[in-house]
Amino acid sequence: MKSGRLRIIALLFLIGYLILFSRLFYLQVLKGDFYRKLSEKNHIRIMVVNPPRGKIYDRNGILLAYDEPSFQIYTYPYMVKKRLKLLKDRLKEILGIEIKDDIYERLKKGYANKVILKKRLTQEQIKKFINHWQDFEGLFLEVQPRRVYTEYARYMPHLLGYVGYPSKNELNKNPMLTPDMLIGKSGVEKIFDRYLRGSYGMRAVVVDAKGRIVKTLWEKQPRRGSDIYLTIDARVQKIVYEAFKQSGQKSGAVVVVNPKDYSIIALLSYPIYDIQKFADGLSVKEWKALLKNRYKPLFNKALDGLYPPGSIFKITVALAALQEGVVAPYQKIFSGAEFKIGKWVYRNWDPRGCGYVDVMGALEVSCDTYFYQIGVKLGSERISYYARMFGLGEKLNPQIEKRVSRIPDPEWKAEFIGEPWYLGDTVNYSIGQGFLAITPFDSTKILVPVLNGGYLLKPRLLKAYYDMSKMRFITVKTEVIRKLNLKRFYFRVIKKGLYDVVYGKNGTAKLLSTLPVKNAGKTGTAQVFRHKKRKEKIEKWYLQNHAWFVDFVPYRKPEYLISVFVEHGIGGARTAVPITKSIIQKMYGEGLIR
C-alpha cells in the first residue's frame, strides 16, 4: 500500500517535470528567437513626474506666480546616436526646431542621461509631433510644469527671485530632488521653497522600441507644492515701482514696511529685469546686456547693497544722546557753521549754521554741527551700542537678510583698516558718514522701534501658507526679538523732530507738507566723493552723493514706513523726497492710506 502511494507521487512529479520541460523547450527553443526580439524591443522605464509648484499670492490674494503645463521633447543619446543627422533634419523640416550645437554634441556621445531637445512646444508643434510620431523614433513628448509670473509679479523680480534646475551639489545634498525638477534659486522662490516645491511622483511603464507606452505597471501621484501668501501688497509695489521710474532716477531701492508688525509691504530694487524672460531662459545677447548694464539690474540693492546712510542715522544718535543724558530734550546747543578739532574743521551742510537748537530743531534742519557735538560726547562705542540695539549689524530675519550693516568702532577699524580710531572718525560717524554702511532695508530698522513703542521685531515676508498635511492655512505670527530699554518719551521727542522736518519752518522735506495726509520723516545725503569746494558740481553719476528719505504715515498711527534710497541721487530733499511724495499721493489716491 505504502509503495503504491510512492509510485503515484513519483508519477505525478514525472508528469509535472515533463510539462515544465516541454514549456521551457517551447519558450527557449521553439519560440526563443521570437521572445528575445520582443524583449529587445520592449523594456520597463521608470518615469519621474514632477509636481507643480505652489502658487504665490500677495497679502490680499492677488496671484503673483503659478505653474502651467508645458510640453517638451526629450531623448536618450544612446537611443538616437546612430540616427542623429536624420532626426535633426526631421525636427527642422517638420517642427521647425533646430538642435543647438552643444546639445548635438551631447547626443553624439551616446550617454544614457536624458537630454531635453526643446522646451515649451507650441500647440502646432505638439500636433505635428503626434501626427508624425513614426518620423521621430527615440524622441519622447512629456509635460513639465512651467513657472508663470503675472503682471504684478513683474514689478518685484528681485523679491520673488527665480526657479531653476538643481545643481549637482544640490542633488547630492537632497535626495528628494530630481534633475529636471524646478526649485527656488533666489528670493521668495528660494526662501519658501520647502513649501512651494511639493514632492515628485513616479510611474513604471513598459515602452516599445519607438518609445510608446505599452502598459503602466504602477504609479505614484506627485504632490503639488503648498500655496503661500506674502505680506507684500502688490498694489503698493506697483505704485513704488512707477514712482521711481517716473522720477527719472537710474538706480536705487524702496522698502515699505508696517512698523506695527514689521511685515514687508513692498521691496523694490531698481532697475528691474523681466522676471518671465529670466524664468524661461535668456539669450546670450540678453544676458550680456544685463551684465553690462552700469545700473546693475541683477543686483538686489534693497537687501544686498551697502551704502553710507547719511543724516537718517542722526535719529539713532539723537536717541542715544537722550537716553545717555548727553543732552536733554529741550536743551539748546549752539551749533555754528563749523566744528573744529585741533586743525581739523568739520563744516555744517548749511554754511549759515543752525544757531541755538534743541534735538528736535537739529533733526528739522539736519544740523551737522549739533550732531558733531553730541556724537563726540557719546563716543564711538556708545553710538555703535545703540546702532546694534536697533538691529543694525544683525540679521533680524536671516531668511530674508543676506548682508548686515557695517557698524564700525575702534576694534573694527584696527582689524580691517589697520589704523587707530581718531576723534574725527567719531565726528563723521555721528552724521552717518565715515565707515558706517547699511542696506536700504536696514534703514527701516532705525525707525520701526520708534514707531511701535520700542519693540525690536522679526521682519516678516510670509503671511500664511497652506499646510498640506493638516489641509488648512497656517498664519505666520509676528515675533518679538527684544524690548528696547528706552524711555518712551524720547520716542515722542524724536517723532516731533521728524514731524518738523516736513511741517517745520526750516524743514528739509517741506515738499511733503502739501500731502492730504500727515506724515513725518528724515532726509539723508551721503557723500561718496570728497568735494574740493563746497558747491563743486560733480558731473559723473558714480561720484554724486547718495540720497535717502525715511518717512512714516499717517503721523499719529503709522501704518507705513517708507524708505527711499536713490543711488547717486545727489541729495535727499532733491530726489528721494519727491519719490516719497509720489508714492504717498498714489497710495492715498487709491485709498491705501486714510
Side-chain angles (χ1 to χ4, degrees):
M1 187 67 182
K2 188 176 180 181
S3 60
R5 285 182 180 174
L6 288 174
R7 280 197 293 273
I8 292 171
I9 292 171
L11 181 61
L12 289 174
F13 270 107
L14 179 61
I15 293 171
Y17 175 77
L18 288 173
I19 292 172
L20 182 61
F21 178 80
S22 301
R23 186 61 180 166
L24 286 172
F25 181 80
Y26 174 77
L27 292 174
Q28 294 188 2
V29 179
L30 299 181
K31 300 294 288 184
D33 188 55
F34 171 79
Y35 284 110
R36 185 168 52 256
K37 289 179 179 178
L38 188 65
S39 66
E40 287 173 356
K41 291 181 179 180
N42 294 270
H43 59 275
I44 296 173
R45 180 170 297 153
I46 304 298
M47 301 176 71
V48 174
V49 184
N50 287 318
R53 287 175 70 79
K55 296 175 182 175
I56 303 175
Y57 295 93
D58 86 335
R59 65 187 302 121
N60 299 307
I62 295 176
L63 183 60
L64 301 175
Y66 63 97
D67 273 11
E68 69 173 17
S70 174
F71 286 84
Q72 63 184 27
I73 294 176
Y74 71 96
T75 188
Y76 295 90
Y78 75 93
M79 295 180 69
V80 297
K81 183 181 177 182
K82 296 178 181 176
R83 296 176 283 111
L84 265 186
K85 181 68 172 59
L86 181 63
L87 281 174
K88 183 180 180 182
D89 292 342
R90 284 174 176 170
L91 279 170
K92 184 177 181 181
E93 178 187 346
I94 300 172
L95 303 184
I97 295 172
E98 291 212 45
I99 300 179
K100 294 179 181 177
D101 292 342
D102 59 329
I103 293 179
Y104 193 77
E105 289 303 313
R106 287 167 63 191
L107 295 174
K108 279 172 64 177
K109 292 175 182 174
Y111 294 146
N113 292 336
K114 177 180 174 180
V115 173
I116 298 169
L117 303 181
K118 172 66 179 173
K119 294 180 181 176
R120 297 185 302 282
L121 297 179
T122 64
Q123 290 298 319
E124 187 64 23
Q125 287 172 325
I126 295 168
K127 185 178 174 182
K128 285 182 178 178
F129 184 86
I130 294 172
N131 291 340
H132 294 266
W133 63 267
Q134 69 276 10
D135 294 316
F136 298 115
E137 186 176 330
L139 305 190
F140 309 103
L141 190 66
E142 71 172 356
V143 182
Q144 284 287 339
R146 175 194 176 225
R147 202 61 165 163
V148 179
Y149 296 97
T150 66
E151 182 187 345
Y152 274 110
R154 297 179 187 193
Y155 301 111
M156 54 185 94
H158 301 87
L159 178 73
L160 289 182
Y162 60 92
V163 294
Y165 296 118
S167 63
K168 285 184 179 177
N169 189 37
E170 288 168 327
L171 287 170
N172 291 335
K173 284 183 177 177
N174 190 344
M176 299 307 293
L177 300 180
T178 63
D180 54 0
M181 185 180 199
L182 289 176
I183 62 169
K185 290 287 187 176
S186 73
V188 164
E189 295 278 21
K190 182 177 182 180
I191 294 170
F192 304 117
D193 188 59
R194 65 186 185 281
Y195 300 122
L196 294 165
R197 188 195 313 144
S199 59
Y200 63 82
M202 298 189 80
R203 190 180 175 202
V205 296
V206 178
V207 297
D208 63 16
K210 295 181 185 297
R212 294 170 298 190
I213 296 174
V214 178
K215 183 181 179 182
T216 298
L217 300 177
W218 54 266
E219 192 171 11
K220 179 195 170 194
Q221 292 291 333
R223 180 175 61 79
R224 71 181 296 273
S226 299
D227 296 340
I228 64 172
Y229 284 74
L230 303 178
T231 57
I232 294 294
D233 188 323
R235 299 167 302 174
V236 177
Q237 180 77 24
K238 184 180 179 184
I239 288 172
V240 162
Y241 166 76
E242 289 176 342
F244 204 103
K245 183 180 180 183
Q246 289 165 8
S247 73
Q249 296 302 315
K250 304 299 184 185
S251 176
V254 180
V255 182
V256 183
V257 303
N258 183 337
K260 290 185 289 189
D261 61 6
Y262 218 162
S263 53
I264 300 171
I265 306 298
L267 193 144
L268 171 75
S269 180
Y270 192 90
I272 62 172
Y273 57 85
D274 188 330
I275 190 173
Q276 193 60 57
K277 272 194 173 182
F278 211 82
D280 289 340
L282 296 164
S283 66
V284 174
K285 184 179 178 183
E286 290 169 328
W287 176 248
K288 286 183 177 178
L290 284 172
L291 293 179
K292 287 181 179 177
N293 190 321
R294 68 183 303 190
Y295 305 115
K296 299 179 179 177
L298 296 178
F299 182 54
N300 188 344
K301 301 175 183 76
L303 291 171
D304 300 332
L306 280 178
Y307 311 94
S311 294
I312 63 172
F313 188 66
K314 289 173 180 172
I315 297 169
T316 307
V317 177
L319 266 171
L322 290 169
Q323 184 69 23
E324 292 290 316
V326 166
V327 69
Y330 302 106
Q331 179 186 354
K332 292 191 175 182
I333 300 174
F334 181 76
S335 306
E338 297 176 345
F339 177 70
K340 292 183 179 178
I341 300 177
K343 65 177 183 179
W344 304 104
V345 179
Y346 298 88
R347 294 185 173 85
N348 191 61
W349 72 271
D350 184 343
R352 296 171 299 178
C354 316
Y356 283 95
V357 289
D358 57 20
V359 67
M360 291 168 283
L363 287 170
E364 176 186 344
V365 298
S366 199
C367 184
D368 291 333
T369 46
Y370 176 91
F371 283 93
Y372 292 152
Q373 296 177 76
I374 65 171
V376 168
K377 288 180 180 177
L378 272 170
S380 60
E381 285 90 349
R382 284 198 287 185
I383 295 175
S384 298
Y385 172 79
Y386 280 90
R388 294 192 179 100
M389 179 191 289
F390 277 71
L392 296 175
E394 176 183 354
K395 293 179 183 176
L396 299 183
N397 187 339
Q399 281 188 320
I400 299 171
E401 300 171 87
K402 301 305 173 192
R403 297 192 74 175
V404 295
S405 309
R406 184 171 63 228
I407 307 299
D409 54 25
E411 189 178 341
W412 175 89
K413 189 179 178 186
E415 181 178 353
F416 292 97
I417 308 295
E419 293 180 2
W421 185 274
Y422 301 111
L423 198 55
D425 293 326
T426 305
V427 172
N428 287 326
Y429 195 5
S430 63
I431 61 165
Q433 290 280 175
F435 302 111
L436 176 66
I438 68 171
T439 68
F441 181 78
D442 281 333
S443 67
T444 64
K445 295 176 182 175
I446 293 172
L447 267 177
V448 165
V450 175
L451 302 179
N452 67 26
Y455 292 94
L456 194 69
L457 306 175
K458 183 178 179 180
R460 291 198 314 152
L461 190 51
L462 184 64
K463 181 184 177 185
Y465 64 93
Y466 188 78
D467 189 319
M468 299 294 281
S469 60
K470 298 177 181 175
M471 301 294 281
R472 63 186 177 89
F473 278 100
I474 306 294
T475 301
V476 179
K477 297 179 180 176
T478 302
E479 293 181 42
V480 177
I481 296 175
R482 57 181 175 266
K483 175 81 167 66
L484 305 190
N485 186 25
L486 296 170
K487 288 185 180 178
R488 299 190 69 166
F489 172 64
Y490 296 150
F491 294 148
R492 293 200 292 274
V493 172
I494 296 297
K495 286 180 68 177
K496 176 62 171 62
L498 302 183
Y499 180 88
D500 292 340
V501 170
V502 176
Y503 299 99
K505 182 180 176 183
N506 300 306
T508 55
K510 289 178 69 66
L511 184 67
L512 300 177
S513 63
T514 57
L515 286 169
V517 57
K518 292 290 184 184
N519 67 102
K522 182 73 192 79
T523 51
T525 299
Q527 193 177 57
V528 174
F529 175 74
R530 184 176 291 277
H531 299 198
K532 294 179 181 176
K533 298 177 182 177
R534 181 180 289 274
K535 292 189 176 181
E536 181 185 10
K537 189 174 182 181
I538 303 297
E539 298 291 347
K540 292 179 179 176
W541 174 79
Y542 61 89
L543 295 179
Q544 293 171 351
N545 295 337
H546 295 315
W548 293 85
F549 191 70
V550 287
D551 184 281
F552 57 93
V553 60
Y555 176 72
R556 293 291 177 193
K557 295 181 179 179
E559 295 178 6
Y560 298 100
L561 165 54
I562 304 168
S563 176
V564 175
F565 166 73
V566 184
E567 190 173 22
H568 304 298
I570 300 178
R574 179 169 171 173
T575 54
V577 169
I579 293 173
T580 307
K581 183 177 183 181
S582 176
I583 292 170
I584 296 175
Q585 272 180 328
K586 290 178 180 177
M587 288 178 67
Y588 183 82
E590 293 192 15
L592 299 171
I593 301 175
R594 300 182 187 283

